[in-house]
Amino acid sequence: MVYLKQSELSTVSFSDYSGNASGSRRVRKRSSGESPGEATRSAGRQTNIRQRKATDTEEEDEQTEKKYRRCEKAGCSATYPVCFASTSERCAKNGYTSRWYHLSCGEHFCNECFDHYYRRLLSKTQLRHKLNWFSNGKSEPSLKAFMADQQLPYWIQCTNPDCRKWRQLTKEIQLTASLAASYRCGMKFNNCTIKSTLYNMAEVTESWWQSMLILPPLFKDSPASPFLAAYYPDCVGMSPSGSSVSPNELRGDHCRAVQPQSKCLVPGLCPYFQPFYQPNECGKALCVRPDMMELDELYEFPEFSRDPTMYLALRNLILASWHKNCKEVLTAEKCALHVIVRGLVRIRCVQEMDRVLHFMTRKGLINTGVLSVSRPLLPERQRCKNVIIIGAGASGLAAARQLHNFGTQVMVLEARERIGGRVWDNTSMGVTVGQGAQIVNGCVNNPIALMCEQMGIKMHKLGERCDLFQEGGQATDPSIDKRMDFHFNAILDVVSEWRKDKSQSQDQPLGEKVQEVKKNFLQESGMQFSDLEEKVLQFHLSNLEFACGSPLGQVSARSWDHNEFFAQFSGDHTLLTKGYSLLLYKLAEGLDIRTKCPVQSIDYSGDHVKVTSTNGSQWTAQKVLVSVPLTLLQKNFIQFNPPLSERKMKAIHSLGAGIIEKVALQFPFRFWDGKIQGADYFGHIPPSPDHRGMFGVFYDMDPQGKRAVLMSIISGDAVAAVREMEDKTIIDICMKVLRELFKEQVQQKRLATEFFVTHWSRDVWSQMSYSYVKTGGSGEAYDILAEDIQGKVFFAGEATNRHFPQTVTGAYLSGVREASKMAAM
């Protein structure tokens, strides 16, 4: 057991040293029989007495001053400062000193101890500390910094549930996370107290106390330290005394020279977890600057705006702890164990931990994904009573899981017989083939990667090689592909320049603008593309239509890539070989989901929102989240009372409902292996512009296995061409393409043993794949669609996420966003 160091406070009574001297003489009155001379002599004696009295008072005032001197810090509440250092033999303790040095309102050291340390500045301990601080830190080393970092006592909280009092450790004991987790003070409950007058402990929790700190808290052994090796520790809330980097390695404002970024990854951590920006790095989604507060953080914690060090230390510690173990709920109690800092400020940091952790939980930065909880993550004041969610797709389930974990009563109404929405996996061919989404575009900090880590699911990294095959089976020269890829991107760059000074009314269809730029380029340069080069260009345009989910003639040239202005997910592109459905079913675990419940109307005219299904069933809730596909809003599948505003309806119709279709085929053997040589996919160059979008890319659905399954895409104008065809006809067209590409390997007329064809355009509850900005529209429409109505009706889905539209990730994050908004209101 570690016991509290007992120190007694010897109090001083100021009445003993008051200005009225207890030994002063009483002045005698003149009697009626006194002579004038005697009266004069008496008056003289009175004058002398008054002079002596004044002198006595001054001497006593000097004695009082010597017995007591207030703190140097203006506004310090410490009436009787006490020296915590007790280093010098002449230490003032709680008595007189010529100057009190202030660290906090409860922590001072006397001038005698200051002189003791000042004279010993060249001692090994202090010299080592000073050099280490100077080498590693951004701030100047000082005696006060040394006292705060090395000499202040540690404070620790008793883990006994019947006690929970704060204790001061003796000087020889170092605080560690394991000690903080197991410490028992050993005192009986009735005697488990500390004289608050000794260290002003009662004031630590007051709002003003923090502003009286001379130095911000700098944590030692923080879990964030391995993530932030490239930063000066004191710029990110950590002590420079715990680091060892030589001075010649320093550079930059807040950063130090380190190995390349890939070398900075924390050993044993998922490589996709990179929550902090490294120096000189930008444009990485869901990343934070470890040395700066974000705007929403400043809004939530304005008291840290002048000196954000304490907040940064806590936030960085929490983020690092979560990414080190995302499979368990992160609590304030777990984080508090790692707050290693000397002095009373540790009590304040532990107190603030709750607020910071609840904020980060509400925002979905931690305690998110498929995590299951046994008790609510947020206090009752931060959660609404009940919520109805319409739609059990990725966005609806994300919001439901978040709200459920917060402690809100949630009910999900789904029109289909299944959950998942546009996530729908097919396993009939022995491997999982996503009829909807299946690829993760950019895994670094992607919440999909987080959920895979939580569930122990491995993703298959897609290679970059994509060989292009022509009709007849000939492979295209890679140099031609590279050259046409350059011209394709150059055309888009010219479009980007053109749109800089264009208003929405001056917008043009992307397809027309691309052709115009191409024509001007060929005329001005005098170049002419060969027939093969033209076909390769058509292949790249086909991929662009796949990305947009629409023929380019309907897409805005001004806003087709509006989300590229925001930081996007970087890193590997992966194939979820197990499918997205596993993640969504895990999100749905334990939730109240009612399938086959199409919603007909939402009435938010009263205090509560009333939801009515097509069969007449009704429910009421404080708030309702609408997470249905964009098409259903465009076609008024749900009636709103009052009706949606003209502004919101205009935004809804300025977005397009893009459609792509998929086909999957199973074969008796992997006839493509010898030709594509282990690539994950291969391309099909269209024989003419009319065939653009018809099976442009084929994906190997079991790239490292033995199953022979290919999946391909239909995009652009080809979607309309196959809309009314029978599945057999579509498969015959696909097989004809494969026989052209692999003439020697595919002889039979009908080689496929199993197949399926998607029909999202016919799906009554989707009628689309993902959204895009129509000509004349703007990316702002995503934000308008995401706006809530009167704090009662909220909207989620990929078409409400301006930063990450068209993806499951975007849908998921929109659900997390709306859950956060509901909890904040």
Side-chain angles (χ1 to χ4, degrees):
M1 294 284 183
V2 178
Y3 291 88
L4 168 71
K5 177 185 176 184
Q6 297 295 316
S7 300
E8 296 298 329
L9 174 63
S10 54
T11 57
V12 179
S13 174
F14 284 91
S15 62
D16 294 338
Y17 302 95
S18 63
N20 296 319
S22 58
S24 60
R25 302 183 186 90
R26 186 176 299 167
V27 179
R28 170 175 70 84
K29 288 185 179 180
R30 174 190 170 199
S31 64
S32 57
E34 285 179 322
S35 67
E38 291 173 333
T40 301
R41 285 192 297 272
S42 177
R45 283 195 299 269
Q46 288 180 353
T47 300
N48 291 336
I49 289 170
R50 282 195 297 269
Q51 289 174 347
R52 283 196 298 270
K53 181 179 179 181
T55 302
D56 290 344
T57 301
E58 289 174 1
E59 290 175 354
E60 289 162 4
D61 284 345
E62 285 183 18
Q63 291 176 357
T64 302
E65 174 67 15
K66 288 182 179 179
K67 276 293 185 182
Y68 170 70
R69 179 180 286 276
R70 292 187 63 85
C71 172
E72 63 172 355
K73 176 72 173 176
C76 178
S77 61
T79 308
Y80 301 95
V82 179
C83 182
F84 70 82
S86 300
T87 302
S88 170
E89 293 179 356
R90 297 181 299 152
C91 176
K93 308 293 183 184
N94 62 317
Y96 169 79
T97 184
S98 59
R99 179 180 179 184
W100 283 110
Y101 293 87
H102 176 105
L103 292 181
S104 79
C105 282
E107 294 157 326
H108 303 79
F109 59 100
C110 67
N111 197 58
E112 286 70 22
C113 288
F114 172 87
D115 286 342
H116 173 80
Y117 280 107
Y118 187 78
R119 286 194 302 270
R120 294 181 57 204
L121 274 179
L122 296 180
S123 70
K124 289 184 179 180
T125 302
Q126 282 182 261
L127 184 59
R128 188 184 308 115
H129 178 269
K130 185 175 182 179
L131 291 175
N132 207 21
W133 191 288
F134 180 79
S135 299
N136 302 316
K138 182 72 174 174
S139 57
E140 288 293 326
S142 67
L143 186 57
K144 282 190 175 182
F146 172 77
M147 298 296 277
D149 191 66
Q150 298 292 317
Q151 297 301 308
L152 275 176
Y154 282 113
W155 287 83
I156 190 169
Q157 191 172 26
C158 179
T159 58
N160 186 342
D162 293 328
C163 177
R164 302 297 293 165
K165 296 294 179 64
W166 285 92
R167 306 297 186 197
Q168 175 191 333
L169 293 179
T170 52
K171 283 188 175 181
E172 64 272 13
I173 298 177
Q174 294 292 314
L175 179 62
T176 63
S178 58
L179 176 60
S182 59
Y183 177 79
R184 294 289 183 103
C185 67
M187 293 186 176
K188 294 182 179 178
F189 177 67
N190 292 336
N191 297 323
C192 208
T193 60
I194 290 179
K195 293 180 180 180
S196 60
T197 53
L198 183 61
Y199 280 95
N200 291 333
M201 277 188 58
E203 294 179 343
V204 176
T205 57
E206 298 293 334
S207 58
W208 54 265
W209 188 88
Q210 178 186 329
S211 65
M212 297 296 289
L213 284 171
I214 289 294
L215 299 166
L218 298 175
F219 294 178
K220 300 182 181 183
D221 302 321
S222 171
S225 181
F227 291 85
L228 305 178
Y231 287 88
Y232 288 110
D234 44 343
C235 290
V236 291
M238 298 187 299
S239 170
S241 64
S243 182
S244 55
V245 178
S246 59
N248 61 2
E249 292 180 302
L250 305 182
R251 66 175 176 81
D253 186 22
H254 285 180
C255 59
R256 307 180 292 184
V258 294
Q259 297 296 320
Q261 180 189 342
S262 60
K263 304 282 186 180
C264 296
L265 299 178
V266 179
L269 194 74
C270 174
Y272 298 140
F273 291 178
Q274 299 175 28
F276 302 107
Y277 275 119
Q278 296 304 311
N280 304 319
E281 188 180 41
C282 62
K284 194 159 63 176
L286 303 191
C287 232
V288 299
R289 283 279 301 270
D291 55 342
M292 289 180 61
M293 293 178 71
E294 306 275 324
L295 287 177
D296 55 348
E297 293 174 320
L298 288 167
Y299 180 81
E300 188 81 10
F301 302 96
E303 68 272 24
F304 292 110
S305 58
R306 294 189 67 179
D307 186 352
T309 306
M310 183 187 294
Y311 178 83
L312 294 175
L314 293 170
R315 179 251 268 163
N316 294 345
L317 184 155
I318 291 170
L319 267 181
S321 299
W322 166 245
H323 285 90
K324 283 186 173 182
N325 183 8
C326 62
K327 297 180 181 180
E328 296 180 1
V329 174
L330 185 64
T331 64
E333 291 76 17
K334 291 179 182 177
C335 292
L337 303 178
H338 297 281
V339 176
I340 309 297
V341 63
R342 291 179 180 271
L344 288 169
V345 74
R346 181 169 189 266
I347 301 175
R348 184 55 176 261
C349 288
V350 171
Q351 175 197 356
E352 295 290 342
M353 183 70 74
D354 261 332
R355 288 180 61 213
V356 179
L357 188 130
H358 286 151
F359 167 75
M360 297 176 71
T361 296
R362 174 165 57 83
K363 296 290 288 185
L365 298 173
I366 63 169
N367 291 334
T368 188
V370 298
L371 205 64
S372 295
V373 302
S374 56
R375 59 177 181 172
L377 296 177
L378 295 183
E380 189 171 356
R381 67 181 183 278
Q382 293 188 28
R383 56 184 193 251
C384 44
K385 186 178 179 182
N386 63 333
V387 173
I388 292 175
I389 295 176
I390 302 170
S395 59
L397 292 175
R401 170 52 56 196
Q402 291 288 105
L403 290 168
H404 175 80
N405 287 356
F406 291 169
T408 297
Q409 182 183 344
V410 182
M411 179 172 63
V412 183
L413 303 178
E414 169 56 49
R416 305 176 189 272
E417 296 181 354
R418 61 172 179 85
I419 67 169
R422 284 166 279 176
V423 169
W424 189 15
D425 292 333
N426 186 306
T427 58
S428 64
M429 301 177 188
V431 297
T432 301
V433 183
Q435 298 186 95
Q438 193 170 3
I439 292 174
V440 183
N441 293 305
C443 289
V444 172
N445 297 334
N446 197 310
I448 305 303
L450 171 76
M451 289 188 278
C452 286
E453 182 74 9
Q454 289 173 326
M455 295 181 65
I457 296 174
K458 291 185 177 180
M459 297 181 286
H460 173 71
K461 177 183 174 180
L462 293 172
E464 296 182 0
R465 186 163 65 88
C466 180
D467 295 333
L468 302 186
F469 295 101
Q470 308 165 36
E471 299 270 325
Q474 183 180 355
T476 304
D477 185 343
S479 64
I480 296 177
D481 181 25
K482 185 176 182 179
R483 183 163 61 251
M484 296 316 297
D485 182 59
F486 170 81
H487 285 301
F488 168 71
N489 285 292
I491 290 171
L492 295 179
D493 288 341
V494 174
V495 174
S496 295
E497 285 295 318
W498 163 84
R499 69 186 176 192
K500 284 183 178 179
D501 60 347
K502 297 297 184 293
S503 64
Q504 278 184 251
S505 61
Q506 296 173 303
D507 197 7
Q508 292 184 23
L510 180 58
E512 291 182 10
K513 196 64 191 173
V514 165
Q515 291 302 318
E516 177 187 324
V517 172
K518 173 192 166 187
K519 181 180 178 181
N520 290 340
F521 167 71
L522 292 177
Q523 287 179 346
E524 292 173 7
S525 66
M527 287 181 59
Q528 188 67 41
F529 292 151
S530 68
D531 182 58
L532 178 57
E533 288 174 331
E534 182 64 42
K535 290 177 180 178
V536 172
L537 179 61
Q538 293 300 317
F539 168 81
H540 289 293
L541 292 173
S542 173
N543 275 339
L544 182 58
E545 290 181 319
F546 174 26
C548 294
S550 168
L552 299 183
Q554 299 171 15
V555 179
S556 165
R558 183 174 171 271
S559 301
W560 71 273
D561 61 344
H562 63 96
N563 58 306
E564 294 298 324
F565 293 98
F566 307 103
Q568 296 296 299
F569 292 104
S570 60
D572 300 335
H573 298 300
T574 59
L575 178 71
L576 279 179
T577 53
K578 300 287 186 181
Y580 271 104
S581 291
L582 279 180
L583 304 181
L584 298 196
Y585 277 108
K586 187 65 176 178
L587 281 175
E589 261 183 23
L591 300 178
D592 181 7
I593 302 176
R594 317 283 178 89
T595 55
K596 295 186 286 188
C597 283
V599 170
Q600 183 176 12
S601 65
I602 299 173
D603 187 339
Y604 60 97
S605 57
D607 293 336
H608 287 76
V609 186
K610 184 168 66 175
V611 176
T612 305
S613 71
T614 54
N615 64 9
S617 298
Q618 290 187 343
W619 302 270
T620 59
Q622 270 189 321
K623 305 178 191 299
V624 167
L625 174 64
V626 180
S627 65
V628 300
L630 173 69
T631 322
L632 304 191
L633 295 175
Q634 291 176 335
K635 297 185 177 181
N636 298 317
F637 268 55
I638 299 175
Q639 301 298 315
F640 292 86
N641 182 33
L644 297 180
S645 67
E646 182 179 347
R647 178 171 180 268
K648 189 175 281 287
M649 290 305 299
K650 183 179 178 181
I652 288 172
H653 288 286
S654 71
L655 296 178
I659 301 175
I660 65 165
E661 302 290 3
K662 289 184 173 184
V663 299
L665 307 95
Q666 184 179 24
F667 301 96
F669 61 98
R670 298 172 59 86
F671 58 83
W672 57 88
D673 270 350
K675 200 165 186 177
I676 70 169
Q677 298 176 346
D680 294 311
Y681 41 81
F682 56 89
H684 160 224
I685 296 178
S688 69
D690 294 340
H691 289 82
R692 191 173 81 194
M694 190 72 80
F695 314 116
V697 179
F698 287 87
Y699 293 84
D700 186 344
M701 301 311 294
D702 193 20
Q704 294 179 331
K706 298 180 179 179
R707 300 281 182 174
V709 178
L710 292 176
M711 182 271 291
S712 191
I713 305 294
I714 304 172
S715 61
D717 289 324
V719 173
V722 302
R723 182 168 295 157
E724 302 304 324
M725 289 183 185
E726 294 183 358
D727 289 359
K728 181 180 178 298
T729 305
I730 297 172
I731 294 301
D732 285 343
I733 296 173
C734 186
M735 282 302 306
K736 182 180 178 182
V737 170
L738 287 172
R739 279 195 297 272
E740 281 291 328
L741 302 186
F742 299 91
K743 279 192 170 183
E744 296 178 1
Q745 293 82 8
V746 181
Q747 301 298 328
Q748 300 99 320
K749 183 177 181 181
R750 189 171 186 86
L751 187 64
T753 57
E754 296 286 341
F755 65 85
F756 71 73
V757 180
T758 63
H759 297 283
W760 290 107
S761 59
R762 302 181 199 172
D763 187 304
V764 66
W765 300 117
S766 292
Q767 303 184 42
M768 65 177 295
S769 297
Y770 40 78
S771 61
Y772 65 93
V773 180
K774 293 197 293 190
T775 305
S778 165
E780 186 185 4
Y782 287 91
D783 289 337
I784 296 173
L785 185 49
E787 294 173 353
D788 64 272
I789 305 175
Q790 300 175 12
K792 292 187 283 189
V793 181
F794 298 77
F795 296 85
E798 58 86 16
T800 71
N801 194 327
R802 187 176 186 177
H803 291 220
F804 313 110
Q806 306 172 329
T807 62
V808 178
T809 297
Y812 173 86
L813 287 173
S814 73
V816 171
R817 177 197 68 210
E818 296 307 301
S820 176
K821 284 166 61 176
M822 291 183 196
M825 288 185 175

